[in-house]
Each structure stands twice: as C-alpha cells, then as structure tokens.
Amino acid sequence: MTASRSSIPAFATGPVAAIAAVVAAVLTALSGRYGFHRDELYFLVAGKHLAWGYTDQPPLTPLLTRISTAVFGSTPMGLRVVSTIAAALTVVVVALIAREFGGDRRAQIMAAGCAAISGFLLGVGHLASTATYDLLAWMVIALLALRLLRTGDGRWWIALGLATGIALENKYLVVLPLAALLIALLIVGPRDVLRSWWLLAGVVAAGLVAAPNLWWQISHDWPQLTVAGGISEDDGTENRIMFIPLQILQLSPFLVPIWVTGFLRMWRSPALRWSRAVALAYPLLCVVVLAVGGKSYYALPLLLVLTAAGCQPTLDWLAQGQRSVRRNLLVTGAVLTAVTSAIFTLPVLPASAVNFVIPINAEQGEQIGWPQLTSAAANAWQQIPAEQRDRATIFAVNYGQAGAIAKFGPAHGLPTPYSGHMSFADFATPRDTQTGPVLLIEQEPTPYYESRFGTCTPAGKVDNGKGVDNEEQGTLLTLCTGPAKPWSTLWPELRRYY
C-alpha cells in the first residue's frame, strides 16, 4: 500500500464547522418565509400514520417529520429543523470527502464552501423532503466507499452496509449509485475489495436494516414500483431533455470547471488511481437515469464528490501565473453562485415575485397559497346545506390539497379530507354512510373523477392572492350530489400512484 493511500491530511474542523453553522443559520432564518411545501403537508399527515412503509416511500422522512414537529412545533420552521441539521452535516461530509482525496486544509474549506453555496444543497436543505436526507446519505456512503478503496480495509464494508440500509429506509435511489460503483469496480478496479467476505457482511448488514420496509413492500405487492413506473411514463421525455441543463443549473454553472477537474484528476492521477471507479460511476449513473427517464437530481449528489476532488487542483491552479486575476475570478464566481443559488432555491424574494424563479425551481411556488386554498374550500363547503354536512365528504385529487385541508381545515370547521393519491388512500377511507354531497378539489376539470360523483357544479376557484403561477393556482372547487356508488366499492377506482 502506497503512502498516498495510507495517509491523509488533518481535518480543518474549525473552519468547516463554521461554514456548516452559517448554512444552518441562513436556512433557519429563512425557513418560515413562505409556508409549507405540498410534500411537507403530505409528510405531516404521514407522520401521524407511522408505518414501516408507504405507497411511494420508505418510512424515514415521515418519522423525522413527526419528530421535528413534536420537538420544535408544527410550523414550517419547526418542521425544517432536522432538514437544516442534515444540510449542515452534508457540508461537513463533503469536506471530509475532499480530505480523502488528499486535500489539504484549504481544499477542505473550499469543498465545504462549494457545497454550501450550491443550489442543490440549499434547495433540498430548505425543505423537509426525502431528497434532503438522501443527499446526506449519498455523501456518507461516498465517504465510506472512498475510505474503503483508499485503505483497502474490507471492514469498511460493514459501515457502508449499515449506511446503505439506513438510506434505503428513506429512498430506494441509493441502489443506483451503488450499482454504478460496483460495475465501475469490475471495469477499472481495484477488484480486490470485491474478493472479501466483508462485502457479504456489508450486504447482510444493509439487508437487516432495510428489511422492515422491504417486507412491507413485498406484502403490499411493491406499490413503489408502480409509482416509479408512473413517474417515468408521465415525465420521462421531459426529464431526458432537461437532464444535462438541470445538472448544470441545479448545482451551479460556476462549479462545472471544478467538478470536471475533479473527474479528470481521479481518472488520470496515479496517486488517485484507487478512486477511478468512483469517477466512472458518475457517467454510468447518468446513463441509467436517462434510460429510465428519472429526474436530473437522481445523479446530482455524485457531482459534489467530483467537486470535492477538484478543489485541490483548483487551488494549485490559483497559485500559478496571474494569482490575483485568478483569485478575483474565483471569488467573483463564488459570490455570484451564492447570490443566484439563494434567489432560485431560498425564499428571499417577495412571494409576489416567485414567478421569476418557478421556471428553474418550481418548488418555490409550491410553498405558497395553501391557506388560501383551504379558505376557498371552506367557502365552498358552506354552500352545502347544514343538514347535509354530516354526510358530506371532501375529496382532493392530490395529496397537497388534502394535506393543506388536514393542516388548516380545522380552523375553518372543515372535516377530515380524503384523497386517493399515494398513501393518502390508506390513511382514511370515507364511510359508506357518507352518502351526501362531495366537495371535489381538482386542478382542472377531470371527467374521470366527476363521473364518479353524480351531478357536479362549480363552487369556486382558488386564488393564492399573490399572482403566483403554481400548480394550485386556479384549482377548481366542484360540488357533486354524492358518490355514484358506495365508497367501499368506489375507493379502488380513486387510487392514484403518480
């Protein structure tokens, strides 16, 4: 074993921790600016129905949502405390990854800084989402994989397996980079790490941790595969077209030369020959994601690994030639990245100006207008005669609408909402005795649903009051005479997996 594989620099604990603290402070200060995201409203309800699995996800994110709101309050700020911590930890892990590549103190600080100003980390760190914890899990797994390859010590397979098992309890996407890494190891090596009983022990460890959710999926006929297939069929073409542009924009155009440098360094440097498989894993992963029509961010975390590898040669480049010019170029790029990342991923603009960023980051708009939707639903509900309301039902086409009414509806005297979307279909089912009117909440006229609820007439329309052109702006409120058949018979027809 060479010295380059057996030794690494000391960790820049203080500066890296300071950068992570700044990220946490910024996210905390802005966490309550707009409001809940549609997915967060869903997680709030899922957290009240804890299970080992859900139609569209494993159990970890709903569990963390419940913990965060129980400790810090059921507000956007309280909900996002755990995700803020996860984002700050991700910054630290990226710096540790730079250290694995032999990055000195300055390179580690730069890697932490690059992660901190990247649009992807700030965007997922602002919200409580599966992607938030998935990013941290990928970085931890990458760190452990690099430690395994650098040292050749097979015992790291155990830690890698445990981290993978935990990641699988949050999102199944982690199997994609792991599969890409294994294929890359078979192609370019070092293959000796695959000839170890520790690998089998790591697989067993991952399986044991992930077993509860895997069993839940098996016992429920793998609904998550149905969800994945629906997403690919619905958005696959658009995802493929936008894959490369979004890879660049969502992380930051400024970071492109750094992660390209990191890739070339890992591929060409004799001292980092042991890491070539990690470099090759990125293009292999991109091919897989493109083939299945997955979203661009499915491969994005590995770019942070490449960025970490590129920090040391970037600093070496700064020390050559026209130092002041190069330094000014780097500083200017970093400042522009921080500003643009904040504008496009954090709630820094007035809500009325969010339309400016929605074409790049639609998630900004999905945090606005939920109380207004609930108020509009309450007005429509009042159109039902009082003597019929105890048998009436609110049915929402998607889980964001249902989650909003579950959160804000009690203040308006609204009953429990129902939806057939994802696991909302399992949380609650209308009783067959609810034969009264149905308040149908639909983004646009949907004959499929309306035909199942008898005669339907318009009862209102949602206006978020900010002119934000998000998915729920203009949502229709439709009053129907009642279910066309008993709810128990109708319910399977109302399930929706994407």
Side-chain angles (χ1 to χ4, degrees), residues 328-345:
N328 290 338
L329 181 64
L330 183 68
V331 171
T332 301
V335 171
L336 289 175
T337 297
V339 171
T340 55
S341 292
I343 290 174
F344 283 97
T345 64

Side-chain angles (χ1 to χ4, degrees), residues 378-427:
N379 291 334
W381 181 258
Q382 292 301 315
Q383 299 177 34
I384 301 174
E387 66 274 12
Q388 297 181 27
R389 290 177 200 159
D390 61 340
R391 294 182 294 108
T393 305
I394 298 177
F395 181 85
V397 169
N398 67 56
Y399 61 54
Q401 300 160 348
I405 294 174
K407 174 63 179 175
F408 303 111
H412 295 274
L414 294 178
T416 299
Y418 300 92
S419 177
H421 191 203
M422 299 299 189
S423 274
F424 235 104
D426 303 313
F427 296 156

Side-chain angles (χ1 to χ4, degrees), residues 69-382:
T69 53
V71 176
F72 301 106
S74 187
T75 64
M77 182 176 289
L79 169 65
R80 294 166 180 167
V81 170
V82 175
S83 59
T84 295
I85 294 172
L89 289 175
T90 300
V91 170
V92 175
V93 177
V94 172
L96 287 169
I97 289 173
R99 179 173 175 249
E100 287 297 314
F101 291 119
D104 61 20
R105 183 181 180 86
R106 297 172 306 141
Q108 297 167 29
I109 296 170
M110 181 178 177
C114 288
I117 62 175
S118 67
F120 185 58
L121 182 137
L122 292 176
V124 300
H126 169 60
L127 302 174
S129 70
T130 54
T132 309
Y133 310 118
D134 202 43
L135 176 59
L136 175 58
W138 280 42
M139 292 301 98
V140 171
I141 288 170
L143 174 64
L144 296 173
L146 288 167
R147 182 65 60 87
L148 167 67
L149 297 177
R150 181 179 63 79
T151 65
D153 188 344
R155 289 174 294 183
W156 285 105
W157 278 117
I158 297 291
L160 191 57
L162 292 172
T164 300
I166 295 172
L168 287 170
E169 291 288 3
N170 177 65
K171 204 166 189 174
Y172 289 163
L173 281 180
V174 71
V175 301
L176 296 181
L178 287 172
L181 177 60
L182 289 174
I183 294 172
L185 284 171
L186 290 172
I187 296 174
V188 299
R191 300 181 187 88
D192 56 324
V193 297
L194 300 176
R195 305 188 193 100
S196 169
W197 286 105
W198 290 109
L199 170 57
L200 179 59
V203 172
V204 171
L208 289 175
V209 176
N213 177 252
L214 294 175
W215 177 250
W216 188 95
Q217 286 288 328
I218 291 171
S219 62
H220 289 78
D221 297 324
W222 287 96
Q224 201 157 346
L225 293 179
T226 304
V227 173
I231 292 174
S232 178
E233 180 179 344
D234 196 42
D235 299 327
T237 300
E238 180 182 351
N239 290 341
R240 293 184 182 97
I241 293 172
M242 295 301 296
F243 184 83
I244 293 177
L246 288 179
Q247 284 274 295
I248 295 172
L249 291 173
Q250 288 177 337
L251 192 65
S252 169
F254 164 73
L255 297 179
V256 172
I258 300 176
W259 64 256
V260 169
T261 299
F263 177 90
L264 295 176
R265 179 192 180 202
M266 295 165 69
W267 191 254
R268 295 174 177 175
S269 172
L272 294 181
R273 186 175 180 82
W274 54 268
S275 70
R276 291 179 72 193
V278 178
L280 181 59
Y282 172 68
L284 289 176
L285 178 58
C286 289
V287 170
V288 173
V289 174
L290 283 168
V292 301
K295 298 181 184 297
S296 61
Y297 76 83
Y298 289 2
L300 206 55
L302 285 188
L303 286 182
L304 282 176
V305 177
L306 302 183
T307 299
C311 287
Q312 188 67 61
T314 299
L315 289 171
D316 294 340
W317 172 79
L318 285 177
Q320 303 169 3
Q322 297 176 312
R323 297 183 184 181
S324 60
V325 174
R326 294 182 177 186
R327 188 181 303 110
N328 290 338
L329 181 64
L330 183 68
V331 171
T332 301
V335 171
L336 289 175
T337 297
V339 171
T340 55
S341 292
I343 290 174
F344 283 97
T345 64
L346 297 176
V348 295
L349 296 176
S352 58
V354 168
N355 286 342
F356 171 72
V357 302
I358 284 180
I360 299 298
N361 181 16
E363 309 309 323
Q364 290 279 65
E366 296 310 306
Q367 302 168 64
I368 296 169
W370 298 111
Q372 289 80 4
L373 181 146
T374 307
S375 296
N379 291 334
W381 181 258
Q382 292 301 315

